[in-house]
Amino acid sequence: MTAMLRTTDLGKSFLLHLQGGLRIPVLDHVDISVAAGECVALVGASGAGKSTLLRSLYGNYRADAGAILIQHAGQLIDIAHASPRDIVKVRADTLGYVSQFLRVVPRVAAIDIVAEAARDMPPEAARDRARALLLRLNIPTRLHALPPATFSGGEQQRINLARGFMGSHPILLLDEPTASLDNANRDIVVDMIREAKQCRTAIVGIFHDVAVRDAVADRLYQVTPIQDS
Amino acid sequence: MPDETLLSARGLSLRFGAIPALIDVDADLWPGEVLAIAGESGSGKSTLLNVLSGRLTPDDGVVWYRDTQAKLQDVHAMPQPALRALHRSDWGFVQQNPRENLRMGVSAGGNVGERLMAQGSRHYGRIRDQAADWLTQVEIDVARIDDLPRTFSGGMLQRLQIARTLVTHPRLVFMDEPTGGLDVSVQARLLDLIRGLVRRLDIAVVLVTHDLAVARLLAHRIMVMQRGRVVESGLTDQVLDDPQHAYTQLLVSSVLQA
């Protein structure tokens, strides 16, 4: 099986200049491999570095050791060393990400936020798909034209999920996708993740909810805190 | 995306008397890309914008622009008429204060049509149609086409300036704090407008802003300047969420959370 995403000896530390140059090592020797159609769940204690790892995979944090190899348009791109422009391209076509919090231009309608994440789709088809995703996630039609700033936490998270699934990227990174959802919506998200896997999507996720994790993950990857020396 | 840059600057330096405004600055911009230049007042970001756009000549360094014939032009070696022609057609410049770019004694439609006429359009009806179309695109009521800009609000003036700038379908637009002088309620709408237009028309933008949130929402890449130097550059969200340089860490950690 070829890996869609693979890290080798990945390391990450933070150097805090404002705290007198304090260096905080977070990740060390991380080797993960995820194949198409497979879901790997990151597990570990709070503060172990799960989110840091996920953000590094997306290029949102800069890995400072090792490699993050992504299958992109028939070639391997190393996110840890790629140019910003290449990372932009990889994110556009290959690598999707659902963050914990929605961050968007204020005053843009929910449906436009979701539709805009479409890939290779005419605008009308994108709107139809966005509408269908929002309805599936129980965001009623009357909310589609509203900017999500005033939505509840759970509603905002579902907008974020709709946006993340909109592009059907071959690789999807999920950061606590069900954290503020009720059981009914949680089950819908589980179904969506399962369907994405059937469509050969490679998934890496952090799932706080053990039931969700058990329902979608094929393997666990233990993130261990680096001991202070 | 093609691999050839639209604009490339190497080793730009400029002093104003004893004060170094730019120190050995390199920059690259690819077609369709939005590049933010961020920093505090006096960091040199507006000076850099003016040097990149040929409005200010550096003491040292060069700015190359790849024209529509894919020929490299040394921006500061171009004859003035050629540079002016570039600014009228292929390039656009959006000022923080729209009054600097608009003609306040000419109607809104006239302000938009003027750039088309400067490019050689002569058919009045067609110019007016295009002006009306652009007013609609920037969400200005077409009924206002014959009104003078001085009857417009600040946000409308800024949108009118954007219509005037984009009507010639420039490949490259320089923007100096485009949302700077506006009320917050107007900023959001303008940001969304700029983002939509830039995406749809595939325009490359060099955007000067002191507002990191604006950079995050609009720019693919960011350059952070301090005292005339670029201290850090890279992918916008990476630079803002995982800043490496001490100054960038200070900037990012100093932003108030609303």
Side-chain angles (χ1 to χ4, degrees):
Chain A
M1 254 193 319
T2 52
M4 289 298 292
L5 180 154
R6 184 162 58 89
T7 70
T8 54
D9 218 9
L10 179 65
K12 168 71 188 164
S13 59
F14 292 96
L15 180 60
L16 308 180
H17 292 286
L18 306 182
Q19 270 70 42
L22 179 68
R23 193 172 161 277
I24 303 176
V26 180
L27 302 173
D28 202 8
H29 306 296
V30 173
D31 294 282
I32 298 188
S33 176
V34 192
E38 190 181 35
C39 176
V40 173
L42 306 180
V43 293
S46 179
K50 302 186 293 293
S51 277
T52 297
L53 174 52
L54 205 64
R55 283 167 172 254
S56 300
L57 297 180
Y58 192 58
N60 177 232
Y61 284 174
R62 179 151 74 183
D64 41 34
I68 300 165
L69 302 171
I70 302 270
Q71 281 284 348
H72 167 75
Q75 59 186 55
L76 275 182
I77 302 268
D78 179 2
I79 291 287
H81 296 94
S83 71
R85 288 179 68 238
D86 283 334
I87 297 179
V88 168
K89 281 187 249 180
V90 168
R91 287 177 178 182
D93 296 331
T94 303
L95 192 57
Y97 180 69
V98 177
S99 61
Q100 279 190 63
F101 303 102
L102 189 63
R103 198 175 224 159
V104 290
V105 178
R107 301 180 65 182
V108 177
I111 186 145
D112 293 328
I113 289 168
V114 177
E116 177 184 286
R119 293 191 302 131
D120 304 325
M121 225 184 242
E124 264 318 297
R127 274 184 89 81
D128 289 345
R129 179 169 157 75
R131 196 173 294 118
L133 272 168
L134 287 171
L135 289 174
R136 181 167 187 196
L137 286 159
N138 288 317
I139 303 290
T141 309
R142 66 187 159 80
L143 293 184
H144 292 191
L146 301 179
T150 55
F151 291 8
S152 72
E155 284 165 342
Q156 293 201 10
Q157 188 168 35
R158 280 178 277 147
I159 304 294
N160 223 4
L161 279 159
R163 189 165 65 150
F165 278 88
M166 183 73 199
S168 308
H169 292 89
I171 305 172
L172 194 54
L173 309 175
L174 304 171
D175 194 352
E176 301 271 19
T178 59
S180 39
L181 301 186
D182 57 29
N183 289 347
N185 283 310
R186 194 192 62 192
D187 292 345
I188 291 166
V189 174
V190 166
D191 285 343
M192 287 170 66
I193 295 172
R194 284 179 165 158
E195 285 167 26
K197 286 171 65 182
Q198 275 160 17
C199 296
R200 310 281 296 147
T201 305
I203 298 173
V204 182
I206 300 170
F207 307 99
H208 185 73
D209 186 325
V210 179
V212 172
R213 185 200 300 158
D214 290 346
V216 299
D218 299 289
R219 282 186 294 126
L220 304 182
Y221 182 86
Q222 186 77 40
V223 182
T224 45
I226 295 179
Q227 298 301 316
D228 292 323
S229 51
Chain B
M1 265 193 273
D3 264 50
E4 287 178 330
T5 57
L6 191 61
L7 196 75
S8 280
R10 289 295 175 271
L12 297 179
S13 292
L14 178 61
R15 303 180 74 86
F16 295 127
I19 304 157
L22 294 179
I23 305 167
D24 198 22
V25 172
D26 294 347
D28 288 300
L29 183 73
W30 281 268
E33 185 182 47
V34 181
L35 170 67
I37 305 172
E40 294 173 298
S41 311
S43 60
K45 56 190 192 306
S46 290
T47 303
L48 177 57
L49 192 73
N50 286 325
V51 169
L52 290 175
S53 59
R55 293 150 55 106
L56 211 53
T57 307
D59 298 334
D60 260 308
V62 66
V63 179
W64 295 103
Y65 170 66
R66 193 176 306 273
D67 68 16
T68 43
Q69 275 82 50
K71 206 169 141 229
L72 281 179
Q73 301 280 356
D74 177 343
V75 169
H76 297 279
M78 287 173 79
Q80 276 304 314
L83 186 60
R84 275 200 301 273
L86 200 57
H87 268 284
R88 272 200 307 268
S89 55
D90 231 16
W91 287 8
F93 204 107
V94 174
Q95 306 268 9
Q96 175 173 358
N97 180 357
R99 290 171 189 82
E100 285 179 31
N101 215 341
L102 295 170
R103 300 223 295 164
M104 300 305 281
V106 173
S107 71
N111 263 289
V112 180
E114 198 175 50
R115 242 173 90 100
L116 287 172
M117 293 202 288
Q119 265 198 335
S121 292
R122 288 293 173 262
H123 190 289
Y124 177 76
R126 221 171 293 152
I127 291 171
R128 193 175 166 85
D129 287 349
Q130 281 199 51
D133 175 48
W134 267 97
L135 290 182
T136 313
Q137 291 202 50
V138 298
E139 301 165 23
I140 293 176
D141 187 349
V142 181
R144 305 290 303 266
I145 191 166
D146 295 317
D147 292 356
L148 293 180
R150 66 176 144 76
T151 64
F152 286 13
S153 69
M156 281 172 77
L157 284 179
Q158 194 54 287
R159 282 180 274 133
L160 181 61
Q161 182 187 199
I162 287 168
R164 176 183 163 94
T165 306
L166 298 187
V167 67
T168 56
H169 290 280
R171 301 160 73 208
L172 170 57
V173 177
F174 301 93
M175 297 189 182
D176 193 357
E177 304 273 9
T179 60
L182 301 175
D183 289 337
V184 177
S185 58
V186 181
Q187 272 187 27
R189 189 162 154 213
L190 189 70
L191 273 179
D192 184 47
L193 179 76
I194 292 174
R195 209 176 49 129
L197 289 171
V198 163
R199 271 190 169 200
R200 191 154 50 77
L201 304 173
D202 204 25
I203 302 167
V205 178
V206 184
L207 167 82
V208 160
T209 180
H210 71 281
D211 188 335
L212 298 179
V214 168
R216 184 190 287 275
L217 291 174
L218 291 181
H220 300 106
R221 286 191 301 124
I222 188 171
M223 291 165 56
V224 180
M225 292 191 70
Q226 182 195 27
R227 285 188 235 111
R229 285 182 204 276
V230 176
V231 295
E232 184 164 356
S233 66
L235 198 63
T236 305
D237 63 271
Q238 190 183 81
V239 169
L240 297 181
D241 291 336
D242 187 16
Q244 307 290 313
H245 190 276
Y247 178 69
T248 319
Q249 291 188 357
L250 176 66
L251 265 192
V252 168
S253 65
S254 303
V255 175
L256 293 175
Q257 299 285 327

